[in-house]
C-alpha cells in the first residue's frame, strides 16, 4: 500500500552531521504521520522522531532533542531527518515508518509501513 525507501546513511565522524531522507510512494494519501526509528547492533529498536503529516507537529526522543530535526515535504512525499553533533551512540540502522492512524507515534506498533533501513555509523 505504501512503500518507503530511506537514503542518506553513511559513515561520519563524531561531532559531524548527516541528513537522511525517506521517499514514500503508493497510497501516500492515507498517511497520517511518519517517524524515524533506529536500531544498534544487539539493541532493540528505539524511537527517534516523528511528525504529523498534515499539521507538522513533531515529537523527539530525549536522546536526540536539540540535535536532530525531523521535517517533511508533503508535495514530494518525503520525510527528512537532519542529524547534528553525532556521537557513537547514534550509530545504527535508521528506519522510516508511516502510520495511517492517529496515535502517540512513539511506539513502533503504531506504524503500519516500514522502509528497509539505512546504516548510520559514527566513528569515535
Amino acid at each position: 500500500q505504501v512503500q518507503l525507501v530511506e537514503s542518506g546513511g553513511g559513515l561520519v565522524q563524531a561531532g559531524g552531521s548527516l541528513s537522511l531522507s525517506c521517499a514514500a510512494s503508493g497510497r501516500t494519501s492515507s498517511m497520517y504521520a511518519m517517524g524515524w526509528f533506529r536500531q544498534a547492533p544487539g539493541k532493540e529498536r528505539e524511537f527517534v522522531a516523528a511528525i504529523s503529516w498534515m499539521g507538522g507537529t513533531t515529537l523527539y526522543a530525549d536522546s536526540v532533542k536539540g540535535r536532530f530535526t525531523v521535517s517533511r515535504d508533503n508535495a514530494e512525499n518525503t520525510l527528512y531527518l537532519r542529524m547534528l553533533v553525532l556521537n557513537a551512540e547514534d550509530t545504527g540502522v535508521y528506519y522510516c515508518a508511516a502510520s495511517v492512524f492517529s496515535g502517540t507515534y512513539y511506539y513502533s506498533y503504531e506504524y503500519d509501513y516500514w522502509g528497509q533501513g539505512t546504516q548510520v555509523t559514527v566513528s569515535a
Side-chain angles (χ1 to χ4, degrees):
Q1 294 285 76
V2 175
Q3 295 77 231
L4 305 173
V5 180
E6 304 95 334
S7 62
L11 176 64
V12 63
Q13 291 185 300
S17 63
L18 198 64
S19 292
L20 307 181
S21 298
C22 174
S25 60
R27 298 190 65 187
T28 57
S29 61
S30 67
M31 297 193 302
Y32 193 89
M34 296 186 73
W36 290 98
F37 288 76
R38 67 187 182 189
Q39 186 167 25
K43 309 295 182 182
E44 59 186 1
R45 187 181 301 173
E46 66 173 341
F47 171 78
V48 176
I51 186 169
S52 62
W53 201 242
M54 293 180 289
T57 301
T58 58
L59 178 67
Y60 295 94
D62 289 340
S63 60
V64 306
K65 195 172 299 181
R67 297 189 298 121
F68 290 14
T69 301
V70 63
S71 61
R72 90 293 194 206
D73 186 328
N74 292 263
E76 297 295 329
N77 294 132
T78 304
L79 177 72
Y80 303 96
L81 184 67
R82 178 63 172 169
M83 305 182 290
L84 305 177
V85 197
L86 288 161
N87 56 61
E89 288 67 52
D90 294 315
T91 292
V93 177
Y94 282 68
Y95 296 92
C96 171
S99 174
V100 299
F101 302 107
S102 176
T104 68
Y105 306 113
Y106 178 81
Y107 303 100
S108 61
Y109 64 77
E110 295 180 298
Y111 292 84
D112 305 284
Y113 304 99
W114 294 83
Q116 83 291 346
T118 185
Q119 178 71 44
V120 172
T121 303
V122 183
S123 61

